[in-house]
């Protein structure tokens, strides 16, 4: 298995974007009442991180069947390194209160494209 930095250099040499982001899997700790009570502070924190340019995307994920919402979330941060990403995740009120635990991993964005239309007056986003 190659070391992360070696793989990142190799990806860049192949012409890949090799943009490093950080993916947080935010996992309910079991107390759904605490999770619901902490949700407003969590959302306010996410809004602060978005305004600071730290939050790339965030939102809930379904269970494996795609049918149930189990209060798990995925958050993608911009950060200087893994320790900085952990510090951002540590600041999330959900994690501070113990409503959720988290795992954070480096993500090397190499391929793909993203385009979308934002309609401000209808508050909608459409992906082609």
């Amino acid at each position: 298995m190659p070391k992360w930095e070696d793989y990142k250099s190799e990806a860049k040499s192949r012409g890949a974007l090799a943009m490093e982001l950080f993916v947080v899997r935010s996992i309910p700790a079991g107390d759904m009442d605490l999770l619901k009570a902490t949700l407003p502070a969590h959302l306010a924190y996410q809004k602060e991180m978005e305004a600071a340019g730290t939050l790339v995307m965030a939102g809930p994920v379904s269970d494996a069947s795609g049918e149930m919402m189990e209060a798990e979330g995925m958050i993608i941060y911009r950060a200087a390194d893994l320790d900085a990403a952990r510090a951002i995740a540590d600041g999330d009120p959900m994690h501070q209160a113990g409503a959720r635990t988290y795992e954070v991993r480096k993500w090397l964005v190499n391929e793909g494209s993203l385009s979308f239309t934002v309609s401000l007056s209808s508050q909608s986003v459409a992906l082609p």
Side-chain angles (χ1 to χ4, degrees):
M1 289 249 182
K3 293 193 181 243
W4 183 261
E5 289 303 319
D6 293 341
Y7 182 80
K8 186 175 173 180
S9 294
E10 184 181 313
K12 282 184 180 183
S13 72
R14 287 193 310 263
L17 178 61
M19 178 175 63
E20 192 171 82
L21 297 174
F22 298 86
V23 177
V24 176
R25 180 177 175 218
S26 185
I27 307 150
D31 185 341
M32 293 307 285
D33 290 333
L34 178 60
L35 199 139
K36 287 178 184 178
T38 314
L39 183 61
H42 164 74
L43 295 175
Y45 183 74
Q46 296 287 67
K47 193 172 184 178
E48 287 175 29
M49 295 301 97
E50 181 180 355
T54 302
L55 178 68
V56 177
M57 292 183 199
V61 296
S62 73
D63 71 344
S65 74
E67 298 295 321
M68 301 300 293
M69 192 333 212
E70 296 179 327
E72 182 175 323
M74 182 172 14
I75 307 163
I76 302 174
Y77 292 132
R78 283 182 197 88
D81 55 34
L82 197 53
D83 288 337
R86 283 189 187 109
I88 297 163
D90 285 342
D92 187 321
M94 285 271 187
H95 302 147
Q96 288 180 341
R100 286 185 179 164
T101 61
Y102 72 87
E103 298 173 356
V104 61
R105 301 216 177 152
K106 292 180 178 182
W107 179 32
L108 198 61
V109 179
N110 284 338
E111 300 90 17
S113 66
L114 180 63
S115 59
F116 53 92
T117 302
V118 176
S119 177
L120 301 176
S121 61
S122 66
Q123 297 181 7
S124 65
V125 176
L127 297 170

